[in-house]
């Protein structure tokens, strides 16, 4: 049965005797109060400087401490576990299974449901290569970075739908590998266009829009028609370098031979590292601007891509390259793992 609450007067007398130097045993015997109760009242007085009953946060949780610890262990082990799965495991342990009860218990441990970020799938080999690249290029001068022609291709859809998945995580851990959805390169098709673009510190370079699939032959044609004109347009010096990722059509035997024949020097690049390429930000800007214009067919989509790419301000390009060192530092801090970029 629930014990009777002590009066405020009796609690004050316990504290008064404690102040006068009496120990817990003497106070307990004199006032006929359990010694554990005496200790609890004095501890509360020391912590809150009052013997009055403090306001409570609400109804006590029906979930036991053991059940709460089990939930935290489960979401820590598997951040992508769903509330329905947590409900079932809670029932199996004989614990309350209300969604609000389970959510509140997890929130008290500093874990919150958030949409998982999509990040490239990184193996230990990928992480080691990324870390080595970042350390090697961290001391590059800004002049060297200004000589790089950054390039990449992306798919832009008429009506894109991105799958979302929630994950339990603590604030500030969005880019931890366990809390992200791995992504891999794939070919494109359907109601979309393929866009290749390049830029340097001074301004955006040329853009090429293709309605179909890009292979090595198409890629080489794009390089032939757009790289050197962009180099001249951007006034890059003779020691300029082309940056490209390790997509199969970029590293195929025929493309490698074509680059060598045409004397185009490329920047060595770690696989699965879009966060190291500042052109990713321009891709984001382009997609946002194109979708804002609501193209209704592929012809409009292609034209809007060209229009919006040409509108990218040179100052935007300059800022991206000026802050490139921060990307390298982020990779080093993550020991080659995913970053916030």
């Amino acid at each position: 049965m629930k014990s009777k609450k002590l009066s405020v007067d009796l609690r004050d007398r316990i504290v008064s005797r404690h102040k006068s130097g009496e120990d817990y045993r003497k106070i307990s015997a004199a006032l006929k109060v359990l010694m554990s109760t005496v200790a609890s009242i004095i501890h509360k007085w020391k912590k809150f400087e009052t013997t009055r009953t403090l306001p409570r946060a609400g109804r006590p949780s029906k979930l036991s401490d053991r059940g709460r610890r089990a939930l935290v262990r489960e979401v820590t082990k598997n951040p992508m576990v769903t509330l329905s799965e947590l409900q079932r495991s809670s029932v199996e342990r004989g614990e309350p299974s209300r969604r609000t009860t389970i959510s509140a218990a997890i929130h008290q441990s500093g874990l919150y449901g958030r949409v998982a970020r999509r990040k490239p799938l990184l193996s230990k080999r990928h992480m080691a290569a990324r870390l080595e690249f970042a350390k090697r290029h961290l001391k590059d001068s800004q002049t060297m970075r200004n000589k790089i022609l950054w390039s990449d291709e992306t798919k832009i859809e008429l009506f894109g739908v991105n799958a979302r998945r929630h994950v339990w995580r603590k604030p500030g851990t969005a880019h931890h590998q366990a809390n992200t959805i791995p992504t891999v390169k794939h070919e494109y098709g359907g109601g979309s266009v393929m866009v290749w673009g390049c830029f340097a510190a001074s301004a955006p370079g040329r853009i090429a829009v293709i309605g179909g699939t890009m292979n090595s032959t198409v890629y080489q044609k794009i390089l032939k028609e757009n790289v050197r004109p962009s180099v001249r347009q951007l006034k890059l010096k003779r020691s300029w370098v082309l940056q490209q990722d390790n997509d199969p059509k970029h590293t195929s035997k025929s493309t490698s031979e074509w680059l060598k024949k045409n004397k185009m020097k490329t920047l060595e690049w770690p696989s699965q590292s879009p966060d190291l390429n500042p052109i990713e930000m321009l891709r984001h800007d382009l997609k946002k601007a194109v979708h804002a214009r609501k193209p209704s067919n592929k012809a409009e989509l292609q034209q809007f891509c060209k229009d919006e790419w040409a509108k990218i301000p040179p100052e935007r390009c300059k800022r991206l390259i000026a802050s490139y060192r921060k990307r390298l530092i982020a990779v080093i801090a993550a020991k080659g793992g995913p970053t916030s970029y």
Side-chain angles (χ1 to χ4, degrees):
M1 290 184 64
K2 191 173 181 179
S3 59
K4 186 178 179 181
K5 186 185 295 185
L6 297 184
S7 66
V8 173
D9 177 64
L10 183 53
R11 282 180 266 171
D12 288 342
R13 286 162 61 193
I14 290 172
V15 172
S16 177
R17 283 174 174 267
H18 171 71
K19 286 180 178 180
S20 66
E22 291 187 23
D23 60 26
Y24 292 0
R25 191 181 297 278
K26 286 185 179 180
I27 297 173
S28 174
L31 300 179
K32 294 182 174 54
V33 178
L34 288 173
M35 195 159 63
S36 60
T37 304
V38 171
S40 177
I41 289 171
I42 292 172
H43 174 74
K44 178 181 177 181
W45 171 76
K46 287 180 177 179
K47 185 175 182 180
F48 300 105
E49 298 183 348
T50 182
T51 59
R52 271 55 176 175
T53 301
L54 297 172
R56 296 175 62 173
R59 185 176 63 180
S61 174
K62 292 184 178 180
L63 191 66
S64 68
D65 289 339
R66 183 180 179 183
R68 182 177 287 103
R69 289 195 299 271
L71 287 171
V72 173
R73 279 197 305 271
E74 195 166 350
V75 298
T76 302
K77 185 177 179 181
N78 178 17
M80 295 189 184
V81 65
T82 65
L83 262 179
S84 298
E85 291 169 336
L86 292 173
Q87 282 181 292
R88 286 195 291 272
S89 61
S90 190
V91 169
E92 290 171 1
R93 289 190 295 269
E95 296 280 355
S97 60
R98 289 185 64 182
R99 297 172 72 90
T100 52
T101 301
I102 292 173
S103 293
I106 297 173
H107 292 168
Q108 286 172 3
S109 298
L111 296 161
Y112 301 89
R114 298 289 186 265
V115 176
R117 306 293 176 89
R118 292 183 175 272
K119 290 290 175 178
L121 179 62
L122 294 174
S123 65
K124 289 183 179 179
R125 180 174 58 83
H126 291 143
M127 293 171 67
R130 284 162 51 83
L131 183 59
E132 192 274 334
F133 176 91
K135 287 180 176 179
R136 179 154 33 92
H137 289 280
L138 185 62
K139 294 182 180 180
D140 287 353
S141 67
Q142 194 61 41
T143 302
M144 290 179 65
R145 291 175 188 146
N146 291 346
K147 295 177 182 178
I148 299 174
L149 183 67
W150 304 88
S151 71
D152 200 10
E153 59 270 347
T154 188
K155 175 182 69 170
I156 299 186
E157 299 176 325
L158 273 172
F159 312 103
V161 179
N162 294 319
R164 289 153 62 96
R165 186 167 181 186
H166 285 76
V167 61
W168 295 100
R169 65 172 175 83
K170 290 186 176 182
T173 63
H175 301 281
H176 288 191
Q177 197 159 6
N179 300 332
T180 62
I181 298 175
T183 61
V184 295
K185 285 275 187 178
H186 58 276
E187 292 299 329
Y188 311 97
S192 61
V193 295
M194 190 69 174
V195 175
W196 177 93
C198 65
F199 89 106
S202 54
R206 287 200 172 193
I207 185 174
V209 184
I210 304 99
T213 301
M214 186 186 292
N215 54 30
S216 294
T217 303
V218 175
Y219 180 64
Q220 291 161 31
K221 185 173 184 291
I222 289 173
L223 296 181
K224 181 180 179 180
E225 295 175 351
N226 295 281
V227 170
R228 293 199 185 279
S230 294
V231 169
R232 289 192 293 271
Q233 173 189 327
L234 299 172
K235 298 180 180 178
L236 297 180
K237 296 182 179 180
R238 287 187 177 183
S239 54
W240 65 272
V241 178
L242 172 66
Q243 181 278 332
Q244 59 177 9
D245 61 26
N246 293 322
D247 186 283
K249 55 184 166 285
H250 301 171
T251 57
S252 67
K253 184 178 179 180
S254 63
T255 299
S256 297
E257 290 175 350
W258 187 93
L259 289 166
K260 186 177 180 180
K261 180 182 176 181
N262 287 272
K263 298 180 180 179
M264 289 189 185
K265 184 180 178 182
T266 58
L267 178 68
E268 84 288 354
W269 195 254
S271 298
Q272 298 290 76
S273 300
D275 55 342
L276 281 170
N277 193 346
I279 202 172
E280 294 289 319
M281 300 303 295
L282 295 189
R283 280 173 38 170
H284 173 77
D285 294 350
L286 177 64
K287 289 181 178 181
K288 186 176 179 181
V290 169
H291 290 152
R293 295 181 64 176
K294 297 181 173 57
S296 57
N297 54 58
K298 269 194 176 183
E300 284 189 352
L301 183 60
Q302 290 180 341
Q303 188 58 50
F304 291 172
C305 286
K306 294 176 182 177
D307 295 345
E308 297 304 324
W309 184 261
K311 293 178 184 177
I312 295 174
E315 187 60 31
R316 171 68 163 153
C317 302
K318 183 179 179 180
R319 286 198 306 269
L320 284 174
I321 303 305
S323 63
Y324 182 66
R325 191 171 186 272
K326 293 180 180 179
R327 294 174 180 264
L328 300 174
I329 292 173
V331 170
I332 294 171
K335 298 180 179 179
T339 69
S340 61
Y341 287 98

